[in-house]
């Protein structure tokens, strides 16, 4: 008989999930100040190309070493695949997901931020969980009940409060709004595709999954970077090297691996709702690392975000779920 009680098992699972969420949010939020630091010395698309390609090479090397030590195939075969076309299908699917999650999302958002205030950019990007929840209810059959709906609205209110308090007198262009909005919708599309194709990609571990996504994104951005940013050089200053190194390790590798894991183990709505934490955490990190001012209204806005996340991610008791299904 097992000595582990159901209650202690649930507690351990809950603690593990909270730890994953904490690390994910901290790593993903670090992208805000790190991007601000790195973009002082590099154009956005060239920065992203190098970041994606180096992250992909490191993860592929890590995966190859791990497969060699275990004596397992580096590129696993789909047990249900029949024919050459079927063997290539998972990698094509991953390339499409990577195009949405990395190349289009970050390429469009970073380029759009050059023509848009950071406040309005944060509002647009932070609407992502709302669109994911609506799309998941329509395309994936995820339940969008009053509790989740109220939680999303609370999160949105908190983020809008923070940004409204910080909005300065800046010129916001239509081009910037279009680019950042398209980038945010690209991440929604990538989230939906990953969840829809989850069973087809179940045999590919998350390390190789992420390596293919970012690698394809880096390759696809090369011609655009050379064309749109011709003559714009990267200045390898100590601050850029610091920013670049952490963006590769903390964001492209650690944060994205955790993001894909959360998508596999949680609903699209629950996982995406965590993105509401990124603007306030990004402001806090910018204050700590770059000395940017932090206002009391910023901390006040975190309260509805935290309450909304609790409503969205709280799991119903098993008996209640069974009654709802019945």
């Amino acid at each position: 008989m097992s000595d582990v009680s159901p209650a202690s098992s649930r507690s351990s699972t809950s603690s593990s999930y909270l730890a994953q969420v904490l690390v994910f949010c901290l790593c993903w939020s670090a992208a805000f100040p790190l991007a601000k630091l790195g973009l002082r010395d590099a154009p956005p698309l060239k920065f992203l190309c190098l970041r994606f390609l180096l992250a992909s090479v490191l993860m592929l090397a890590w995966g190859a070493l791990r497969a060699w030590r275990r004596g397992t195939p580096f590129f696993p075969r789909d047990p249900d695949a029949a024919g050459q076309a079927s063997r290539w299908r998972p990698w094509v699917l991953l390339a499409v997901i990577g195009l949405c999650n990395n190349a289009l999302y970050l390429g469009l958002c970073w380029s759009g931020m050059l023509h848009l205030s950071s406040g309005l950019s944060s509002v647009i990007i932070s609407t992502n969980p709302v669109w994911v929840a609506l799309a998941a209810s329509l395309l994936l059959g995820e339940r969008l009940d009053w509790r989740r709906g109220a939680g999303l609205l609370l999160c949105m209110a908190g983020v809008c409060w923070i940004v409204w308090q910080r909005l300065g007198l800046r010129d916001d262009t239509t081009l910037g709004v279009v680019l950042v909005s398209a980038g945010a919708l690209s991440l929604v599309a990538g989230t939906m595709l990953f969840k829809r194709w989850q069973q087809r990609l179940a045999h590919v571990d998350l390390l190789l999954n992420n390596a293919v996504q970012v690698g394809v994104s880096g390759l696809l951005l090369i011609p655009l970077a050379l064309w749109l940013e011709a003559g714009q050089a990267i200045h390898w200053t100590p601050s850029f090297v610091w920013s670049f190194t952490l963006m590769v390790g903390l964001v492209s590798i650690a944060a994205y691996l955790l993001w894909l894991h959360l998508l596999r183990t949680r609903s699209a709505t629950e996982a995406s709702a965590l993105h509401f934490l990124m603007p306030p955490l990004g402001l806090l990190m910018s204050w700590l690392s770059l000395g940017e001012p932090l206002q009391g209204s910023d901390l006040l806005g975190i309260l509805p975000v935290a309450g909304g996340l609790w409503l969205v991610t709280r799991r119903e008791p098993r008996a209640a779920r069974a009654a709802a299904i019945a």
Side-chain angles (χ1 to χ4, degrees), residues 159-205:
V159 170
C160 288
W161 165 262
I162 293 172
V163 176
W164 178 64
Q165 293 292 320
R166 297 180 64 91
L167 279 176
L169 297 177
R170 298 184 181 181
D171 293 328
D172 294 318
T173 67
T174 303
L175 175 61
V177 172
V178 170
L179 289 175
V180 174
S181 299
L185 291 176
S186 296
L187 184 59
V188 174
T191 302
M192 291 298 99
L193 292 175
F194 184 86
K195 292 296 290 185
R196 180 171 286 276
W197 295 337
Q198 185 170 331
Q199 295 303 317
R200 298 184 187 180
L201 300 172
H203 67 289
V204 182
D205 70 36

Side-chain angles (χ1 to χ4, degrees), residues 96-246:
V96 174
I97 295 172
L99 173 66
C100 296
N101 277 344
N102 293 279
L104 288 176
Y105 166 53
L106 290 174
L108 289 167
C109 285
W110 280 28
S111 299
M113 287 180 190
L114 298 177
H115 309 279
L116 204 63
S117 66
S118 59
L120 186 53
S121 299
S122 298
V123 171
I124 295 173
I125 295 172
S126 296
T127 61
N128 171 276
V130 176
W131 302 118
V132 166
L134 293 175
S137 65
L138 294 174
L139 302 177
L140 303 178
E142 291 187 7
R143 184 182 174 192
L144 185 59
D145 54 17
W146 71 268
R147 177 173 55 83
R148 286 186 173 183
L152 290 170
L153 290 177
L154 268 178
C155 289
M156 193 67 185
V159 170
C160 288
W161 165 262
I162 293 172
V163 176
W164 178 64
Q165 293 292 320
R166 297 180 64 91
L167 279 176
L169 297 177
R170 298 184 181 181
D171 293 328
D172 294 318
T173 67
T174 303
L175 175 61
V177 172
V178 170
L179 289 175
V180 174
S181 299
L185 291 176
S186 296
L187 184 59
V188 174
T191 302
M192 291 298 99
L193 292 175
F194 184 86
K195 292 296 290 185
R196 180 171 286 276
W197 295 337
Q198 185 170 331
Q199 295 303 317
R200 298 184 187 180
L201 300 172
H203 67 289
V204 182
D205 70 36
L206 292 182
L207 184 65
L208 186 56
N209 191 311
N210 194 27
V212 172
Q213 289 192 44
V214 297
V216 168
S217 298
L219 293 173
L220 290 174
L221 284 179
I222 288 177
L224 279 177
L226 294 176
W227 174 43
L228 296 175
E229 298 174 349
Q232 301 181 43
I234 296 177
H235 304 287
W236 293 87
T237 63
S239 62
F240 174 76
V241 173
W242 173 253
S243 166
F244 177 73
T245 302
L246 291 180

Side-chain angles (χ1 to χ4, degrees), residues 57-107:
V57 168
L58 290 175
M59 285 187 285
L60 289 173
W62 180 9
L65 178 61
R66 188 176 62 178
W68 175 71
R69 285 181 173 177
R70 294 177 176 176
T72 56
F74 180 42
F75 291 102
R77 286 190 174 185
D78 185 353
D80 298 325
Q84 194 67 22
S86 297
R87 294 194 189 100
W88 281 99
R89 186 174 298 138
W91 313 113
V92 174
L93 299 182
L94 285 175
V96 174
I97 295 172
L99 173 66
C100 296
N101 277 344
N102 293 279
L104 288 176
Y105 166 53
L106 290 174

